[in-house]
Short mmCIF file of all heavy atoms in Angstrom, two decimals:
data_model
loop_
_atom_site.label_atom_id
_atom_site.label_comp_id
_atom_site.label_asym_id
_atom_site.label_seq_id
_atom_site.Cartn_x
_atom_site.Cartn_y
_atom_site.Cartn_z
N ALA V 1 -19.10 33.95 23.91
CA ALA V 1 -20.13 32.91 23.97
C ALA V 1 -20.86 32.78 22.63
O ALA V 1 -21.13 31.67 22.16
CB ALA V 1 -21.13 33.23 25.08
N ALA V 2 -21.16 33.91 22.01
CA ALA V 2 -21.84 33.88 20.71
C ALA V 2 -20.98 33.19 19.66
O ALA V 2 -21.49 32.46 18.80
CB ALA V 2 -22.19 35.30 20.28
N SER V 3 -19.67 33.40 19.71
CA SER V 3 -18.78 32.77 18.73
C SER V 3 -18.76 31.26 18.92
O SER V 3 -18.68 30.49 17.95
CB SER V 3 -17.37 33.35 18.82
OG SER V 3 -16.67 32.92 19.98
N LYS V 4 -18.84 30.81 20.17
CA LYS V 4 -18.85 29.38 20.44
C LYS V 4 -20.18 28.74 20.03
O LYS V 4 -20.23 27.63 19.51
CB LYS V 4 -18.56 29.12 21.92
CG LYS V 4 -17.12 29.40 22.31
CD LYS V 4 -16.17 28.52 21.54
CE LYS V 4 -14.73 28.69 21.93
NZ LYS V 4 -13.83 27.77 21.18
N LYS V 5 -21.26 29.46 20.27
CA LYS V 5 -22.57 29.00 19.79
C LYS V 5 -22.56 28.90 18.26
O LYS V 5 -23.09 27.93 17.69
CB LYS V 5 -23.64 29.98 20.26
CG LYS V 5 -24.99 29.89 19.56
CD LYS V 5 -25.79 28.67 19.92
CE LYS V 5 -27.20 28.77 19.32
NZ LYS V 5 -28.03 27.62 19.61
N SER V 6 -21.94 29.86 17.60
CA SER V 6 -21.88 29.83 16.14
C SER V 6 -21.08 28.62 15.65
O SER V 6 -21.40 28.02 14.62
CB SER V 6 -21.25 31.12 15.59
OG SER V 6 -19.86 31.16 15.78
N ASN V 7 -20.04 28.24 16.40
CA ASN V 7 -19.27 27.04 16.04
C ASN V 7 -20.16 25.81 16.03
O ASN V 7 -20.06 24.96 15.12
CB ASN V 7 -18.12 26.83 17.03
CG ASN V 7 -16.98 27.80 16.87
OD1 ASN V 7 -16.06 27.80 17.68
ND2 ASN V 7 -17.02 28.66 15.86
N GLU V 8 -21.03 25.70 17.01
CA GLU V 8 -21.94 24.55 17.07
C GLU V 8 -22.90 24.54 15.90
O GLU V 8 -23.16 23.48 15.30
CB GLU V 8 -22.71 24.58 18.39
CG GLU V 8 -21.83 24.42 19.63
CD GLU V 8 -22.59 24.51 20.94
OE1 GLU V 8 -23.84 24.66 20.89
OE2 GLU V 8 -21.95 24.41 22.00
N LEU V 9 -23.41 25.71 15.54
CA LEU V 9 -24.33 25.81 14.40
C LEU V 9 -23.63 25.48 13.08
O LEU V 9 -24.18 24.76 12.24
CB LEU V 9 -24.92 27.22 14.33
CG LEU V 9 -25.81 27.64 15.51
CD1 LEU V 9 -26.18 29.12 15.38
CD2 LEU V 9 -27.06 26.79 15.56
N MET V 10 -22.42 26.01 12.90
CA MET V 10 -21.67 25.73 11.67
C MET V 10 -21.31 24.26 11.57
O MET V 10 -21.38 23.64 10.50
CB MET V 10 -20.42 26.61 11.61
CG MET V 10 -20.72 28.08 11.39
SD MET V 10 -19.23 29.08 11.09
CE MET V 10 -18.53 29.15 12.73
N ALA V 11 -20.91 23.67 12.72
CA ALA V 11 -20.56 22.25 12.72
C ALA V 11 -21.76 21.40 12.32
O ALA V 11 -21.62 20.45 11.52
CB ALA V 11 -20.06 21.84 14.11
N HIS V 12 -22.94 21.74 12.83
CA HIS V 12 -24.12 20.95 12.46
C HIS V 12 -24.39 21.04 10.96
O HIS V 12 -24.74 20.05 10.31
CB HIS V 12 -25.37 21.41 13.22
CG HIS V 12 -26.58 20.60 12.87
ND1 HIS V 12 -27.48 20.97 11.87
CD2 HIS V 12 -27.02 19.40 13.33
CE1 HIS V 12 -28.40 20.05 11.76
NE2 HIS V 12 -28.16 19.09 12.63
N THR V 13 -24.22 22.23 10.41
CA THR V 13 -24.44 22.41 8.98
C THR V 13 -23.54 21.50 8.16
O THR V 13 -23.97 20.84 7.20
CB THR V 13 -24.20 23.88 8.57
OG1 THR V 13 -25.07 24.72 9.34
CG2 THR V 13 -24.47 24.09 7.10
N TYR V 14 -22.26 21.42 8.55
CA TYR V 14 -21.30 20.58 7.82
C TYR V 14 -21.57 19.10 8.06
O TYR V 14 -21.38 18.26 7.16
CB TYR V 14 -19.87 20.95 8.19
CG TYR V 14 -19.34 22.09 7.34
CD1 TYR V 14 -19.83 23.38 7.50
CD2 TYR V 14 -18.37 21.87 6.36
CE1 TYR V 14 -19.37 24.43 6.72
CE2 TYR V 14 -17.91 22.91 5.57
CZ TYR V 14 -18.41 24.19 5.75
OH TYR V 14 -17.96 25.21 4.95
N SER V 15 -22.02 18.76 9.26
CA SER V 15 -22.39 17.37 9.53
C SER V 15 -23.57 16.96 8.64
O SER V 15 -23.60 15.85 8.10
CB SER V 15 -22.77 17.20 11.01
OG SER V 15 -21.65 17.39 11.84
N TYR V 16 -24.53 17.86 8.50
CA TYR V 16 -25.74 17.55 7.72
C TYR V 16 -25.47 17.55 6.21
O TYR V 16 -25.87 16.62 5.51
CB TYR V 16 -26.83 18.58 8.05
CG TYR V 16 -28.14 18.29 7.35
CD1 TYR V 16 -29.01 17.32 7.85
CD2 TYR V 16 -28.50 18.97 6.20
CE1 TYR V 16 -30.21 17.05 7.21
CE2 TYR V 16 -29.69 18.71 5.55
CZ TYR V 16 -30.55 17.74 6.06
OH TYR V 16 -31.73 17.47 5.41
N LEU V 17 -24.78 18.58 5.72
CA LEU V 17 -24.57 18.70 4.28
C LEU V 17 -23.52 17.74 3.74
O LEU V 17 -23.67 17.21 2.64
CB LEU V 17 -24.15 20.14 3.94
CG LEU V 17 -25.21 21.24 4.08
CD1 LEU V 17 -24.58 22.59 3.79
CD2 LEU V 17 -26.39 20.99 3.14
N PHE V 18 -22.47 17.51 4.53
CA PHE V 18 -21.31 16.78 4.00
C PHE V 18 -21.00 15.50 4.77
O PHE V 18 -19.96 14.88 4.54
CB PHE V 18 -20.08 17.70 4.00
CG PHE V 18 -20.33 19.02 3.32
CD1 PHE V 18 -20.30 20.21 4.05
CD2 PHE V 18 -20.62 19.09 1.96
CE1 PHE V 18 -20.53 21.44 3.43
CE2 PHE V 18 -20.87 20.30 1.34
CZ PHE V 18 -20.82 21.48 2.08
N ASN V 19 -21.90 15.13 5.70
CA ASN V 19 -21.72 13.90 6.47
C ASN V 19 -20.39 13.88 7.24
O ASN V 19 -19.76 12.84 7.42
CB ASN V 19 -21.80 12.66 5.57
CG ASN V 19 -22.17 11.41 6.33
OD1 ASN V 19 -22.99 11.46 7.24
ND2 ASN V 19 -21.57 10.29 5.96
N LEU V 20 -19.97 15.07 7.70
CA LEU V 20 -18.75 15.19 8.49
C LEU V 20 -19.09 14.99 9.96
O LEU V 20 -19.81 15.81 10.55
CB LEU V 20 -18.12 16.58 8.28
CG LEU V 20 -16.95 16.95 9.20
CD1 LEU V 20 -15.75 16.04 8.95
CD2 LEU V 20 -16.56 18.42 9.02
N PRO V 21 -18.61 13.92 10.61
CA PRO V 21 -18.90 13.71 12.03
C PRO V 21 -18.25 14.81 12.88
O PRO V 21 -17.03 15.02 12.80
CB PRO V 21 -18.28 12.35 12.33
CG PRO V 21 -18.21 11.65 11.00
CD PRO V 21 -17.90 12.76 10.02
N THR V 22 -19.06 15.51 13.67
CA THR V 22 -18.53 16.57 14.53
C THR V 22 -19.06 16.39 15.95
O THR V 22 -20.21 16.05 16.17
CB THR V 22 -18.94 17.97 14.04
OG1 THR V 22 -20.36 18.14 14.15
CG2 THR V 22 -18.50 18.20 12.60
N THR V 23 -18.17 16.64 16.92
CA THR V 23 -18.54 16.59 18.34
C THR V 23 -18.06 17.86 19.02
O THR V 23 -16.86 18.17 19.00
CB THR V 23 -17.92 15.37 19.04
OG1 THR V 23 -18.34 14.17 18.39
CG2 THR V 23 -18.35 15.32 20.51
N GLY V 24 -18.99 18.61 19.61
CA GLY V 24 -18.65 19.83 20.33
C GLY V 24 -18.61 19.57 21.83
O GLY V 24 -19.47 18.87 22.38
N LEU V 25 -17.60 20.12 22.50
CA LEU V 25 -17.42 19.92 23.94
C LEU V 25 -17.55 21.26 24.66
O LEU V 25 -16.73 22.16 24.45
CB LEU V 25 -16.04 19.30 24.22
CG LEU V 25 -15.77 17.95 23.56
CD1 LEU V 25 -14.33 17.52 23.81
CD2 LEU V 25 -16.75 16.89 24.07
N ARG V 26 -18.56 21.37 25.49
CA ARG V 26 -18.75 22.58 26.28
C ARG V 26 -17.97 22.46 27.58
O ARG V 26 -18.42 21.83 28.54
CB ARG V 26 -20.24 22.81 26.56
CG ARG V 26 -21.04 23.12 25.30
CD ARG V 26 -22.54 23.20 25.60
NE ARG V 26 -23.30 23.54 24.39
CZ ARG V 26 -24.62 23.46 24.29
NH1 ARG V 26 -25.34 23.06 25.34
NH2 ARG V 26 -25.23 23.78 23.16
N PHE V 27 -16.77 23.04 27.61
CA PHE V 27 -15.90 22.95 28.78
C PHE V 27 -16.40 23.84 29.91
O PHE V 27 -16.83 24.97 29.69
CB PHE V 27 -14.47 23.37 28.41
CG PHE V 27 -13.77 22.42 27.48
CD1 PHE V 27 -13.35 22.84 26.23
CD2 PHE V 27 -13.50 21.12 27.87
CE1 PHE V 27 -12.69 21.97 25.37
CE2 PHE V 27 -12.85 20.25 27.01
CZ PHE V 27 -12.44 20.67 25.77
N PHE V 28 -16.26 23.33 31.14
CA PHE V 28 -16.66 24.07 32.34
C PHE V 28 -15.44 24.37 33.22
O PHE V 28 -14.89 23.48 33.86
CB PHE V 28 -17.68 23.26 33.15
CG PHE V 28 -19.09 23.34 32.63
CD1 PHE V 28 -19.43 22.73 31.43
CD2 PHE V 28 -20.07 24.01 33.32
CE1 PHE V 28 -20.73 22.79 30.94
CE2 PHE V 28 -21.37 24.09 32.84
CZ PHE V 28 -21.70 23.48 31.65
N THR V 29 -14.99 25.62 33.21
CA THR V 29 -13.93 26.15 34.09
C THR V 29 -12.82 25.14 34.37
O THR V 29 -12.70 24.59 35.47
CB THR V 29 -14.52 26.65 35.43
OG1 THR V 29 -15.73 27.38 35.17
CG2 THR V 29 -13.53 27.58 36.13
N VAL V 30 -12.01 24.91 33.37
CA VAL V 30 -10.89 23.97 33.47
C VAL V 30 -9.75 24.62 34.24
O VAL V 30 -9.42 25.78 34.03
CB VAL V 30 -10.42 23.54 32.06
CG1 VAL V 30 -9.39 22.42 32.18
CG2 VAL V 30 -11.60 23.10 31.20
N TYR V 31 -9.13 23.85 35.15
CA TYR V 31 -8.01 24.38 35.93
C TYR V 31 -6.97 23.29 36.13
O TYR V 31 -7.25 22.10 35.95
CB TYR V 31 -8.50 24.91 37.28
CG TYR V 31 -8.83 23.82 38.29
CD1 TYR V 31 -7.93 23.48 39.29
CD2 TYR V 31 -10.04 23.11 38.22
CE1 TYR V 31 -8.22 22.48 40.21
CE2 TYR V 31 -10.33 22.10 39.12
CZ TYR V 31 -9.43 21.78 40.12
OH TYR V 31 -9.71 20.78 41.00
N GLY V 32 -5.77 23.70 36.52
CA GLY V 32 -4.71 22.74 36.81
C GLY V 32 -3.35 23.27 36.40
O GLY V 32 -3.22 24.41 35.93
N PRO V 33 -2.28 22.46 36.58
CA PRO V 33 -0.93 22.87 36.21
C PRO V 33 -0.83 23.33 34.76
O PRO V 33 -1.49 22.78 33.88
CB PRO V 33 -0.11 21.59 36.44
CG PRO V 33 -0.87 20.85 37.49
CD PRO V 33 -2.32 21.12 37.20
N TRP V 34 -0.02 24.35 34.51
CA TRP V 34 0.19 24.95 33.20
C TRP V 34 -1.03 25.75 32.74
O TRP V 34 -1.17 26.04 31.56
CB TRP V 34 0.58 23.91 32.14
CG TRP V 34 1.86 23.19 32.42
CD1 TRP V 34 2.00 21.99 33.04
CD2 TRP V 34 3.18 23.62 32.08
NE1 TRP V 34 3.33 21.65 33.12
CE2 TRP V 34 4.08 22.63 32.53
CE3 TRP V 34 3.70 24.76 31.43
CZ2 TRP V 34 5.46 22.74 32.37
CZ3 TRP V 34 5.06 24.85 31.27
CH2 TRP V 34 5.94 23.85 31.73
N GLY V 35 -1.90 26.12 33.67
CA GLY V 35 -3.12 26.84 33.33
C GLY V 35 -2.90 28.25 32.82
O GLY V 35 -1.78 28.77 32.85
N ARG V 36 -3.99 28.89 32.39
CA ARG V 36 -3.91 30.22 31.79
C ARG V 36 -3.78 31.30 32.86
O ARG V 36 -4.50 31.28 33.86
CB ARG V 36 -5.17 30.50 30.97
CG ARG V 36 -5.14 29.88 29.59
CD ARG V 36 -6.44 30.00 28.85
NE ARG V 36 -7.24 31.17 29.16
CZ ARG V 36 -8.56 31.22 28.99
NH1 ARG V 36 -9.21 30.17 28.54
NH2 ARG V 36 -9.22 32.33 29.28
N PRO V 37 -2.90 32.30 32.63
CA PRO V 37 -2.70 33.38 33.60
C PRO V 37 -3.89 34.31 33.78
O PRO V 37 -3.92 35.08 34.73
CB PRO V 37 -1.50 34.16 33.01
CG PRO V 37 -0.83 33.23 32.08
CD PRO V 37 -1.92 32.36 31.52
N ASP V 38 -4.86 34.27 32.86
CA ASP V 38 -6.03 35.14 32.98
C ASP V 38 -7.17 34.48 33.74
O ASP V 38 -8.21 35.09 33.95
CB ASP V 38 -6.52 35.57 31.59
CG ASP V 38 -6.97 34.40 30.73
OD1 ASP V 38 -6.33 33.34 30.79
OD2 ASP V 38 -7.97 34.55 30.00
N MET V 39 -6.98 33.23 34.16
CA MET V 39 -8.02 32.52 34.89
C MET V 39 -7.91 32.77 36.40
O MET V 39 -6.84 33.08 36.92
CB MET V 39 -7.93 31.02 34.60
CG MET V 39 -8.14 30.66 33.13
SD MET V 39 -9.82 31.01 32.55
CE MET V 39 -10.71 29.65 33.28
N ALA V 40 -9.02 32.59 37.09
CA ALA V 40 -9.11 32.95 38.50
C ALA V 40 -8.05 32.27 39.37
O ALA V 40 -7.42 32.93 40.21
CB ALA V 40 -10.50 32.62 39.04
N LEU V 41 -7.83 30.98 39.19
CA LEU V 41 -6.88 30.27 40.04
C LEU V 41 -5.49 30.87 39.93
O LEU V 41 -4.80 31.10 40.93
CB LEU V 41 -6.85 28.78 39.67
CG LEU V 41 -5.85 27.91 40.44
CD1 LEU V 41 -6.03 28.04 41.94
CD2 LEU V 41 -5.99 26.44 40.02
N PHE V 42 -5.06 31.15 38.73
CA PHE V 42 -3.74 31.73 38.48
C PHE V 42 -3.65 33.12 39.11
O PHE V 42 -2.68 33.45 39.83
CB PHE V 42 -3.49 31.81 36.98
CG PHE V 42 -2.05 31.75 36.57
CD1 PHE V 42 -1.56 30.66 35.86
CD2 PHE V 42 -1.18 32.79 36.86
CE1 PHE V 42 -0.22 30.60 35.46
CE2 PHE V 42 0.15 32.74 36.47
CZ PHE V 42 0.63 31.64 35.76
N LEU V 43 -4.66 33.95 38.87
CA LEU V 43 -4.68 35.31 39.38
C LEU V 43 -4.70 35.33 40.91
O LEU V 43 -3.96 36.10 41.55
CB LEU V 43 -5.90 36.06 38.84
CG LEU V 43 -5.92 36.33 37.33
CD1 LEU V 43 -7.30 36.84 36.92
CD2 LEU V 43 -4.85 37.36 36.95
N PHE V 44 -5.52 34.49 41.50
CA PHE V 44 -5.63 34.44 42.96
C PHE V 44 -4.34 33.93 43.59
O PHE V 44 -3.86 34.49 44.59
CB PHE V 44 -6.79 33.53 43.38
CG PHE V 44 -8.16 34.08 43.08
CD1 PHE V 44 -9.29 33.26 43.18
CD2 PHE V 44 -8.35 35.39 42.68
CE1 PHE V 44 -10.56 33.76 42.92
CE2 PHE V 44 -9.62 35.90 42.40
CZ PHE V 44 -10.72 35.07 42.53
N CYS V 45 -3.79 32.88 43.01
CA CYS V 45 -2.56 32.29 43.54
C CYS V 45 -1.43 33.31 43.54
O CYS V 45 -0.75 33.51 44.57
CB CYS V 45 -2.18 31.06 42.71
SG CYS V 45 -0.64 30.27 43.20
N ARG V 46 -1.24 33.98 42.43
CA ARG V 46 -0.15 34.97 42.32
C ARG V 46 -0.35 36.11 43.33
O ARG V 46 0.60 36.51 44.02
CB ARG V 46 -0.09 35.52 40.90
CG ARG V 46 0.90 36.67 40.71
CD ARG V 46 1.05 37.02 39.25
NE ARG V 46 1.82 36.01 38.54
CZ ARG V 46 1.97 35.96 37.21
NH1 ARG V 46 1.36 36.87 36.45
NH2 ARG V 46 2.69 35.01 36.66
N ALA V 47 -1.57 36.63 43.40
CA ALA V 47 -1.83 37.76 44.29
C ALA V 47 -1.64 37.38 45.76
O ALA V 47 -1.03 38.15 46.54
CB ALA V 47 -3.24 38.29 44.05
N ILE V 48 -2.13 36.23 46.16
CA ILE V 48 -2.02 35.80 47.56
C ILE V 48 -0.56 35.60 47.94
O ILE V 48 -0.11 36.02 49.02
CB ILE V 48 -2.84 34.52 47.81
CG1 ILE V 48 -4.34 34.82 47.66
CG2 ILE V 48 -2.56 33.95 49.20
CD1 ILE V 48 -5.22 33.58 47.66
#
């Protein structure tokens, strides 16, 4: 979480100093086909 927060801070710095347009997206528990094996849906599905 701290590394992601740092990304937002660094992006703002570059937007301000160098006029680089940046947009940060805070993703909330993404799931679906081809998902990650370390996520709950994958783990639960396999175990069940």
Side-chain angles (χ1 to χ4, degrees):
S3 73
K4 289 300 183 178
K5 163 72 172 179
S6 75
N7 287 174
E8 296 178 2
L9 296 173
M10 290 188 286
H12 181 267
T13 303
Y14 274 70
S15 293
Y16 183 80
L17 290 176
F18 308 114
N19 203 38
L20 171 64
T22 66
T23 302
L25 301 175
R26 294 174 178 168
F27 292 118
F28 280 70
T29 317
V30 187
Y31 75 100
W34 298 95
R36 279 172 31 204
D38 63 321
M39 298 294 284
L41 177 54
F42 208 113
L43 293 169
F44 290 168
C45 178
R46 174 172 287 171
I48 294 170

